[in-house]
């Protein structure tokens, strides 16, 4: 029998009944009750009030039941530590259970409870488990020591747990060794870098870690390799010994193990280099062995490629010889994502040499003719960086750049001019013959950096350009509109021109530029530089020449080079970590804040009661009422999980807010159809089934699964919708899915609430059942009263193959599902089935579905409100209204109450004044003025409301009302 039934119930007194079942002497009934509690907890319901009854169920020999209870305990131990204290005695007893799994679960759960005084009870069981005969218990206990240290460091040291962890490094089981090592590393981080070395690595410990390296799991290997990289040795023989044992790890299938092994070997290279002869042969041999594994990493998926490339970038900066012969591997593929291409370009530039420059230039030239503008720009700049770095290849690089300039592609020409300026800076007075070619392309310059580069070239070589004054004058025509970068270069270039060729035209230009830069600009940098030049020129022209025309230092390519000390730190300590991806030390982006530890005396006395009018089973706190109220408010304000994200099904009651998704295309996710039962994975609860009953709504924000909160208040069970075939055919198509399940439907207002009228067509060869519906967060907070659909078919459970059935879905307004302004009529819906997974479709919320029956007001109040409200929003609707009477009838049918009707003098227009109220989403009262000529095209609509963003709702929904299609 499937356990999917535990996720659907309509019982009001659910908590009370669960309490009774948990206290039952019937073991199967008690187990069923615990499963229901776990199911409710999984979808985000607060079932903490059942804690005492669930804890009592721990006294059992049934392993499955005990696992379920511990799952419950682990969840509430993290969020409500004061409740977990109640189970201390049971923890202590279970830590001596004959079953090693139970012993490990007991210690693990106790470590999750962050209350200081509970640690006194944890110490003795933990001490026993650290010396347990079963390796699973020992490895679990090792991690628990690190958790205990975070709560009470002094206690861990006083009870000798650190010494026990160090002894466990000699354990016969490699996983115990790895976990003990991981715990010591975690404790070392918690203790801070200034504390003593807790690992105390000795030669004996080193040998034991190397022995365990080949036998433990891949993540255990990562922990061991990280500790080997941190091992400080100055003996080249020790380094060779470590490297020889680590080299086989380069063949591992896990990329994390490979990069961690590379980090250890690079560290060993540094030590060997200090030995006799510099260890050149050894380093060369190791380099040959390191290259293939690094190359293999590039055969992975793009995300892993990117991480590998960021790490390889650091390795190439530190030891370029390792991949010196592998530059072809980093040539970009046509289907590489842009972020991978950019990283490959960086590494290609670093590996470029006189031997391979022809291959690299040929490849870069191809890239510069791609369609991706950003990639093309980066490729052209790469050619320039190769020219700056490799003197012998400069002429070949310039020839490639000139060929690219001949393509006359604007952004290619501009990037080429920018890098040629850098080449001139690197090799002055060598390649000025190409200036004429550059001057022929002035018309294509429209970017500030390209303009400033060209202006710099003209000013720097003014004496070699016959018409330099004319070229600069063309730029000066737009001087006031240029960016600061271009203005500064124009100012300096004009001064250079005047000093090199003091003609009459140059003098006029310098006067105009200095005047404009000192009197008509707000940029202080530009103004100050202009004043300095003015004073230099007016007092001592020779001194001005010495300053402005001074010989400039030769540049080098340091655009992507890290500081040597930072590079050393990243390669030797942080390779294969996030720091190596960011190219930043971890302290710049990692917070070292620790979780708060609850003091026992701070825990308020709590009582469990079900008060009349309150939510059944609500938890009441005497001392922490204010704090609980604040937490509830914060939870209500937080975003609900994204409807379209079914991957995160955490059982924590209030998960982090997720960004709202907006997928428009219909997609099918069969794996997601098992999402609810997968939350209890590993407990063997059976396959998925969905019954036609429903259960109360889960709190907002409880889960990212759109069907995680299966709920409906009493009386909200959707009934079948009797519709004729003609009516079904008139429903708009929301999702056309040939060969699958198609959806037609519209939002209407029935029984004083919005209702979704849906028609579902099954074009699959098998019956479709288990239908459930959910809406994403929206501007009006619309949410199904029940997520389980009861179909208008015999039994109301399944749609037969080729069948079409109708369903009526009442919608409620959930304030916690209201999105912040601006208001939008978009509605994203997910429909789940057992057979075809989850279907997504988009719809719009109609005006007539929202307007309330009692939304009228007095005419005098309307007039006063019209005067008091902000200015109206107006629009002209392209439709024709037969007559004023017809318009009034159709408005009234949609709960738009007409308060006045008059003829507009001399225009032939009818003016109708109406109002409506929409509580959903906090829209409020809307005031409308409609002006039109009966039978003629066009209706002028003016809307006034407290919220300015509500007008579009009226403009979008009013045509359907006036045309009688609402």
């Amino acid at each position: 029998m499937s356990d999917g039934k535990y996720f659907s119930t309509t019982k009001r007194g659910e908590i009370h009944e669960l309490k009774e079942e948990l206290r039952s002497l019937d073991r199967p009934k008690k187990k069923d009750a615990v499963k229901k509690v776990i199911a409710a907890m999984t979808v985000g319901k607060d079932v903490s009030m059942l804690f005492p009854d669930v804890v009592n169920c721990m006294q059992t020999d049934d392993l499955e039941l005990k696992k379920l209870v511990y799952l419950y305990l682990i969840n509430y131990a993290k969020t409500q530590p004061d409740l977990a204290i109640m189970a201390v005695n049971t923890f202590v007893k279970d830590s001596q259970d004959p079953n090693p799994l139970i012993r490990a679960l007991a210690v693990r759960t106790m470590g999750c409870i962050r209350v200081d005084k509970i640690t006194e009870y944890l110490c003795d069981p933990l001490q026993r488990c650290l010396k347990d005969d079963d390796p699973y218990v020992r490895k679990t206990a090792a991690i628990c020591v690190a958790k205990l240290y975070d709560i009470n460091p002094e206690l861990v040291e006083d009870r000798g747990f650190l010494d026990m962890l160090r002894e466990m490094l000699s354990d016969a089981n490699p996983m115990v060794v790895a976990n003990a090592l991981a715990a010591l590393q975690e404790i070392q981080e918690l203790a801070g870098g200034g504390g003593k070395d807790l690992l105390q690595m000795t030669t004996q410990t080193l040998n034991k870690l190397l022995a365990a390296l080949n036998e433990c799991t891949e993540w255990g290997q990562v922990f061991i390799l990280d500790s080997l990289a941190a091992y400080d040795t100055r003996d080249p023989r020790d380094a060779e010994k470590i490297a020889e044992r680590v080299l086989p790890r380069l063949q591992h299938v896990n990329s994390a193990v490979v990069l961690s092994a590379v980090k250890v070997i690079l560290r060993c290279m540094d030590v060997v280099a200090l030995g006799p002869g510099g260890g050149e042969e050894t380093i060369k041999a190791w380099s040959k062995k390191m290259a293939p594994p690094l190359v293999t990493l590039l055969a992975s998926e793009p995300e892993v490629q990117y991480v590998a490339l960021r790490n390889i970038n650091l390795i190439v900066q530190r030891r370029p010889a390792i991949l010196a012969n592998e530059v072809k591997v980093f040539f970009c593929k046509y289907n590489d994502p842009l972020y991978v291409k950019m990283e490959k370009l960086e590494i290609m530039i670093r590996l470029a040499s006189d031997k391979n420059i022809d291959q690299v230039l040929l490849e870069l030239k191809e890239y510069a003719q791609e369609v991706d503008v950003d990639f093309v720009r980066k490729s052209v700049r790469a050619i320039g960086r190769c020219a700056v770095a490799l003197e012998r290849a400069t002429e070949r690089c310039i020839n490639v750049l000139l060929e690219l300039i001949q393509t006359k592609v604007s952004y290619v020409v501009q990037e080429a001019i920018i890098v040629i300026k850098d080449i001139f800076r690197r090799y002055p007075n060598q390649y000025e013959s190409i200036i004429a070619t550059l001057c022929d392309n002035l018309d294509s310059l429209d970017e500030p950096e390209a303009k400033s580069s060209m202006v710099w070239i003209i000013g720097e070589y003014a004496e070699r350009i016959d018409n330099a004054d004319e070229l600069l004058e063309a730029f000066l025509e737009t001087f006031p509109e240029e960016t600061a970068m271009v203005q500064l270069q124009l100012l300096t270039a004009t001064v250079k021109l005047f000093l090199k060729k003091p003609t009459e035209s140059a003098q006029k230009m310098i006067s105009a530029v200095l005047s404009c830069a000192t009197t008509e600009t707000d940029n202080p940098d530009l103004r100050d530089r202009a004043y300095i030049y003015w004073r230099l020129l007016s007092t001592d022209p020779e001194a001005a020449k010495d300053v402005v025309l001074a010989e400039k230092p030769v540049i080098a390519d340091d655009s992507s080079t890290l500081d040597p000390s930072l590079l050393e730190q990243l390669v030797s300590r942080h390779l294969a970590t996030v720091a190596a991806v960011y190219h930043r030390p971890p302290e710049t982006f990692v917070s070292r804040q620790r979780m708060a530890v609850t003091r026992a005396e701070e825990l308020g006395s709590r009582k469990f009661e079900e008060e009349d009018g309150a939510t059944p089973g609500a938890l009441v706190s005497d001392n922490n009422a204010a704090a609980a109220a604040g937490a509830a408010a914060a939870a209500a304000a937080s975003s609900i999980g994204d409807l379209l994200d079914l991957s995160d099904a955490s059982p924590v009651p209030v998960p982090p807010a997720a960004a709202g998704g907006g997928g428009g295309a219909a997609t099918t996710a069969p794996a997601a159809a098992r999402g609810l039962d997968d939350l209890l994975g590993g407990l063997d609860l059976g396959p998925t089934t969905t019954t036609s009953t429903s259960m109360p709504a889960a709190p907002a924000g409880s889960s990212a699964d759109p069907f995680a909160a299966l709920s409906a208040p009493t009386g909200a069970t959707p009934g079948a919708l009797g519709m004729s075939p003609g009516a079904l055919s008139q429903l708009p198509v929301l999702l056309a899915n040939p060969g699958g399940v198609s959806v037609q439907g519209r939002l209407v207002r029935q029984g004083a609430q919005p209702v979704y009228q849906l028609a579902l067509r099954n074009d699959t060869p098998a019956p479709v059942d288990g239908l459930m519906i959910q809406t994403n967060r929206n501007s009006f907070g619309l949410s199904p009263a029940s997520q389980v659909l009861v179909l208008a078919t015999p039994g109301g459970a399944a749609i037969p193959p080729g069948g079409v059935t109708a369903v009526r879905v009442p919608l409620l307004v959930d304030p916690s599902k209201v999105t912040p302004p601006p208001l939008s009529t978009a509605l994203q819906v997910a429909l789940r089935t057992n057979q075809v997974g989850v279907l997504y479709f988009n719809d719009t919320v109609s005006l007539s579905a929202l307007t309330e029956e009692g939304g009228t007001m007095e005419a005098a109040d309307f007039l006063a409100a019209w005067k008091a409200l902000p200015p109206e929003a107006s629009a002209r609707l392209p439709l024709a209204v037969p007559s004023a009477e017809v318009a009034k009838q159709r408005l009234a049918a949609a709960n738009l109450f007409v308060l006045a009707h008059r003829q507009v003098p001399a225009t032939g227009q009818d003016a109708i004044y109406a109002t409506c109220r929409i509580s959903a989403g906090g829209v409020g009262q809307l005031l409308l003025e409609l002006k039109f000529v009966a039978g003629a095209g066009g209706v002028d609509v003016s809307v006034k409301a407290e919220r300015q963003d509500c007008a579009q709702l009226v403009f979008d929904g009013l045509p359907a009302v006036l045309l009688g299609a609402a």
Side-chain angles (χ1 to χ4, degrees), residues 372-665:
D372 192 304
V373 176
D374 291 334
F375 184 48
V376 170
R377 291 178 185 276
K378 184 87 171 178
S379 302
V380 175
R381 296 216 177 194
I383 297 171
R385 287 175 59 187
C386 289
V388 171
L390 302 172
E391 185 172 358
R392 293 181 183 177
T394 304
E395 190 167 347
R396 282 173 280 178
C397 294
I398 289 178
N399 290 335
V400 172
L401 289 171
L402 291 177
E403 289 179 33
L404 293 175
I405 289 175
Q406 297 306 319
T407 63
K408 301 296 183 182
V409 178
S410 174
Y411 52 86
V412 175
V413 172
Q414 298 190 80
E415 287 297 323
I417 289 175
I418 292 169
V419 299
I420 287 173
K421 179 207 67 171
D422 292 334
I423 295 173
F424 286 171
R425 289 285 307 275
R426 177 68 178 84
Y427 308 106
N429 303 315
Q430 291 189 38
Y431 301 103
E432 287 72 19
S433 57
I434 66 172
I435 292 177
T437 306
L438 303 182
C439 292
D440 291 340
N441 293 275
L442 293 183
D443 294 340
S444 62
L445 304 184
D446 55 16
E447 295 175 6
E449 193 175 1
K451 282 185 177 181
S452 62
S453 297
M454 192 65 221
V455 169
W456 181 88
I457 293 171
I458 295 171
E460 188 69 15
Y461 300 101
E463 72 279 8
R464 304 188 188 189
I465 303 174
D466 295 335
N467 61 338
D469 52 349
E470 295 176 9
L471 297 176
L472 274 183
E473 195 167 7
F475 281 108
L476 289 172
E477 290 176 0
T478 57
F479 182 85
E481 291 80 32
E482 298 292 355
T483 62
M485 177 194 299
V486 179
Q487 288 178 332
L488 287 166
Q489 282 294 355
L490 279 171
L491 175 60
T492 303
T494 308
V495 173
K496 287 179 182 178
L497 174 66
F498 176 73
L499 293 173
K500 292 180 178 183
K501 299 169 68 173
T503 61
E504 184 177 349
S505 63
Q507 190 169 359
K508 289 181 180 178
M509 286 167 59
I510 192 66
S511 298
V513 170
L514 290 175
S515 174
C516 182
T518 53
T519 61
E520 299 179 18
T521 182
D522 295 328
N523 188 320
D525 293 335
L526 179 63
R527 190 168 57 245
D528 291 349
R529 186 181 293 191
Y531 276 123
I532 291 171
Y533 286 155
W534 200 330
R535 286 168 187 163
L536 275 172
L537 292 170
S538 60
T539 55
D540 191 348
E542 291 302 318
K545 281 186 179 181
D546 294 337
V547 171
V548 179
L549 304 180
E551 187 174 344
K552 297 167 185 63
V554 174
I555 66 168
D557 178 27
D558 58 354
S559 56
S560 298
T561 304
L562 295 172
D563 179 80
S565 60
L566 175 59
L567 178 62
E568 176 65 28
Q569 179 187 358
L570 292 174
V571 172
S572 61
R573 294 174 53 194
H574 302 303
L575 207 65
T577 68
V578 178
V581 178
Y582 285 166
H583 289 187
R584 291 167 53 192
E587 55 269 16
T588 61
F589 60 87
V590 175
S591 170
R592 294 295 181 187
Q593 294 178 350
R594 293 168 60 182
M595 289 177 62
V597 178
T598 308
R599 304 294 171 190
E601 57 271 15
E602 295 172 1
L603 299 176
S605 62
R606 293 176 180 262
K607 58 180 179 285
F608 304 95
E609 38 182 76
E610 293 180 18
E611 300 182 28
D612 294 337
T615 303
L619 179 62
V620 181
S621 171
D622 291 336
N623 298 343
N624 292 342
S638 65
S639 300
I640 300 176
D642 185 353
L643 166 73
L644 306 183
D645 181 7
L646 298 177
S647 61
D648 179 17
S650 171
V652 179
V654 185

Side-chain angles (χ1 to χ4, degrees), residues 309-377:
L309 288 167
R310 293 292 285 177
N311 282 271
I312 290 171
N313 195 327
L314 295 173
I315 295 168
V316 168
Q317 289 185 58
R318 186 74 175 78
R319 291 194 175 273
I322 293 175
L323 293 166
N325 299 321
E326 305 289 347
V327 69
K328 281 188 176 180
V329 174
F330 300 99
F331 287 175
C332 300
K333 299 175 183 176
Y334 76 94
N335 59 347
D336 279 339
L338 181 60
Y339 56 88
V340 170
K341 289 181 177 179
M342 294 297 197
E343 283 305 314
K344 285 185 174 181
L345 274 181
E346 280 293 330
I347 297 172
M348 284 172 60
I349 296 167
R350 297 193 187 283
L351 294 178
S353 64
D354 293 331
K355 294 180 181 178
N356 60 27
I357 189 63
D358 289 329
Q359 288 179 314
V360 172
L361 283 178
L362 190 61
E363 193 74 12
L364 291 175
K365 184 180 175 182
E366 289 294 323
Y367 301 160
Q369 299 173 49
E370 294 278 350
V371 294
D372 192 304
V373 176
D374 291 334
F375 184 48
V376 170
R377 291 178 185 276

